Amino acid sequence: MRSAFILSLALLAGCASSPGYRSPALQLPASFREASDTSRSTHAVTPHVIAPDPGPQAPGPDYWEQLGDTTLNRLIAELVRANQDVQAAEARVRATRSERVRTLLDLTPDTRLTGSYARQRLSSSSFPGFAAFPDQNIWDAGVSAAWDLDVFGQIRQTAQARGAMVGAAQAELRDVQVSLTAELALTYFELRGAQEQLSVARENAENQRRTFEITRQRLDAGRGSAFDTERAQAQLSSTLAEIPAREAQVATAQYRIGVLVGRAPAAVAAELEQPARVPALPDVAAMGNPEAIVRDRPDVSAAERQAAAQGALVGAAKASYLPKISIGGSAGYVAPEIRTVGAQGTLRYAVGPVISWPLLSLGRVKADVDAAQAGEDEARARYRAVVLRAMQDLEVSISQYRAARLRVDRLQEASAASQHAAELALLRFKEGATDLLQVLDAQRTQLEAQDRLAQARIDAGTAYAALFRAPGGR
């Protein structure tokens, strides 16, 4: 009988054990397609190897310092220090660490001081032949302890899961820092681009105002027509109508930056009132080995740690198939009066092992195990999906950054040419060599080219921020 019992325990232990965790394999290409394909652009993307992540930390400032924009660097430092979402993520890291410590303490005896008072009367019917018992006072003081020996590793597996959750929370903190830094930079580029577009609209409005004054002077002198004056007025009014929208875009970006850095939006808006252009962006995008970069991304690290935690929880659930062995004990004093607590004859103690086994509830245990295994399958599927999205982000960000920089170069040429054309058209109009229509058309083309150039600089900044976010801020 005893041999059969031991054999059944051994079989259950084999069924309940779970293999050690292994990080899921990644089937990734040897290099990035967009980084190696330079045939579509004059700007090559030069790769470099990124070292493995030494641990959770704030994104490095070098990526932004090379832009030479001290305002942007100051705002990023403020974000890392005071952003509310970052602080919430840091609190989650502290919470998961405390949960892990709490689980590890389950491996130690749970010791408690106890004290109680009760007034009782024993029923005489429980003791035939005895008269009614008098009322009694019972004072009890002592200490109790319980120690789960964790013979089959349920607590250890749970602690391992908690440790993996700490790693996931740390990776999520880094992901929040990287994502918000990229969002701040993107919003900052939008602010500077909107300020440039506002400046372009105001400068063109001033040029068109001068054109309008020329047509009115020619009309007053009898050398022009009311038709030319009205067309000049219409174009001026259309340009002036763009200014309020640009001003609103500037204010929106300013207020959003205030929220990101954790300060009053209006105060930050006042600090950013002075216009500036989008900083010049570098010609080289840094990329390295795909597997090293993908594994280093904080969202991938978080997903991998979540999968590890779910795997450990499967082991903890399987351990419930086996008996739970613990040692319990208590000692203290029981007396009818508080003043006699501790006197001779009031000592009491109890100590001994406790074995519990859900033999008749194994169906419930199996349901818990099945749920844990399904959670592990879900976590691994999410991990694979995150890896695929990471590869997509990396390839797309490289491609978009290359295209955005090339577009800026072309639009700079177009803007310079359109400005020169507008100046020539106005000069020819003053000399009577052309009509007003060519002037208005040249000025409209100039406005469109300059506005598109400012928008292209915003798009390039957006692509640069995405290029920071794609490899995880490295």
Side-chain angles (χ1 to χ4, degrees):
M1 180 68 179
R2 185 174 61 181
S3 299
F5 178 74
I6 295 175
L7 179 60
S8 63
L9 281 182
L11 291 174
L12 282 174
C15 295
S17 63
S18 58
Y21 174 78
R22 292 184 179 180
S23 180
L26 299 180
Q27 296 181 351
L28 301 178
S31 62
F32 292 102
R33 175 177 178 270
E34 290 294 334
S36 58
D37 183 7
T38 59
S39 60
R40 291 174 293 168
S41 169
T42 58
H43 298 284
V45 181
T46 304
H48 80 285
V49 176
I50 297 179
D53 181 21
Q57 56 186 0
D62 294 346
Y63 191 89
W64 305 108
E65 284 185 348
Q66 62 181 321
L67 302 183
D69 193 315
T70 56
T71 301
L72 176 59
N73 294 333
R74 174 178 59 81
L75 292 172
I76 290 175
E78 283 190 54
L79 180 144
V80 175
R81 181 178 63 253
N83 180 270
Q84 298 303 303
D85 291 328
V86 171
Q87 293 183 359
E90 290 173 343
R92 286 195 294 272
V93 172
R94 295 195 300 271
T96 54
R97 284 174 176 163
S98 298
E99 290 170 356
R100 179 175 181 269
V101 171
R102 173 65 181 83
T103 302
L104 289 172
L105 290 175
D106 288 339
L107 293 170
T108 63
D110 181 11
T111 305
R112 301 175 183 235
L113 296 176
T114 61
S116 66
Y117 163 77
R119 184 168 180 79
Q120 70 175 15
R121 172 185 294 178
L122 298 178
S123 172
S124 60
S125 62
S126 300
F127 302 91
F130 289 87
F133 291 95
D135 293 347
Q136 292 178 309
N137 294 322
I138 298 179
W139 295 87
D140 190 318
V143 60
S144 64
W147 183 17
D148 189 338
L149 299 181
D150 194 36
V151 175
F152 299 107
Q154 185 176 34
I155 297 176
R156 293 192 298 274
Q157 292 275 12
T158 304
Q160 182 180 345
R162 295 296 185 189
M165 290 177 183
V166 171
Q170 291 173 327
E172 288 169 355
L173 167 60
R174 188 158 62 94
D175 190 42
V176 169
Q177 291 173 330
V178 170
S179 298
L180 291 178
T181 298
E183 183 179 352
L184 172 63
L186 186 154
T187 307
Y188 182 79
F189 295 147
E190 289 178 345
L191 167 65
R192 295 314 190 193
Q195 288 176 332
E196 182 179 352
Q197 289 175 317
L198 176 60
S199 177
V200 166
R202 286 172 173 170
E203 290 176 3
N204 277 273
E206 187 60 30
N207 292 337
Q208 292 167 8
R209 193 188 307 278
R210 287 196 294 268
T211 302
F212 170 69
E213 292 296 334
I214 292 173
T215 59
R216 192 168 60 178
Q217 292 171 3
R218 289 170 63 89
L219 177 64
D220 293 341
R223 296 185 293 111
S225 66
F227 180 64
D228 288 344
T229 303
E230 293 300 326
R231 284 192 300 182
Q233 176 66 68
Q235 181 157 298
L236 171 61
S237 298
S238 296
T239 302
L240 291 174
E242 293 293 323
I243 293 178
R246 300 304 184 193
E247 290 174 339
Q249 289 177 347
V250 169
T252 299
Q254 290 171 336
Y255 296 143
R256 177 57 184 155
I257 290 174
V259 173
L260 287 170
V261 299
R263 290 199 285 131
V268 176
E271 295 176 7
L272 299 174
E273 198 65 38
Q274 186 65 31
R277 283 193 172 185
V278 175
L281 302 177
D283 189 35
V284 175
M287 285 290 144
N289 178 266
E291 182 170 355
I293 293 178
V294 169
R295 285 192 183 277
D296 189 54
R297 271 179 55 127
D299 56 343
V300 174
S301 298
E304 189 273 337
R305 290 287 81 203
Q306 288 288 354
Q310 289 298 325
L313 290 177
V314 171
K318 286 182 176 181
S320 297
Y321 279 121
L322 300 169
K324 182 177 181 180
I325 303 175
S326 60
I327 297 176
S330 65
Y333 297 94
V334 178
E337 296 180 6
I338 190 171
R339 61 185 177 82
T340 61
V341 172
Q344 185 177 5
T346 62
L347 175 66
R348 52 99 182 155
Y349 73 88
V351 62
V354 178
I355 300 178
S356 61
W357 187 11
L359 180 61
L360 301 179
S361 301
L362 293 181
R364 293 187 177 91
V365 175
K366 183 180 184 304
D368 292 340
V369 172
D370 291 343
Q373 288 177 333
E376 182 183 19
D377 293 340
E378 178 186 359
R380 286 180 175 272
R382 290 185 181 278
Y383 172 73
R384 291 190 292 269
V386 170
V387 169
L388 292 175
R389 285 195 295 270
M391 286 301 300
Q392 172 190 335
D393 289 346
L394 287 160
E395 295 285 11
V396 169
S397 63
I398 299 171
S399 175
Q400 289 184 341
Y401 183 65
R402 177 195 293 120
R405 294 205 71 257
L406 183 60
R407 184 167 182 264
V408 169
D409 292 344
R410 297 296 177 263
L411 286 176
Q412 284 177 336
E413 298 171 358
S415 176
S418 63
Q419 181 177 357
H420 189 214
E423 293 171 353
L424 290 177
L426 183 59
L427 180 61
R428 287 169 58 84
F429 175 71
K430 290 179 180 179
E431 295 175 350
T434 186
D435 59 9
L436 180 64
L437 181 60
Q438 292 188 7
V439 176
L440 298 179
D441 182 67
Q443 290 180 339
R444 182 175 63 254
T445 301
Q446 177 187 4
L447 174 60
E448 292 175 353
Q450 291 176 336
D451 190 78
R452 290 176 64 192
L453 175 58
Q455 183 60 51
R457 290 195 176 107
I458 296 175
D459 295 340
T462 300
Y464 189 72
L467 201 61
F468 170 80
R469 172 71 179 88
R474 292 292 185 260

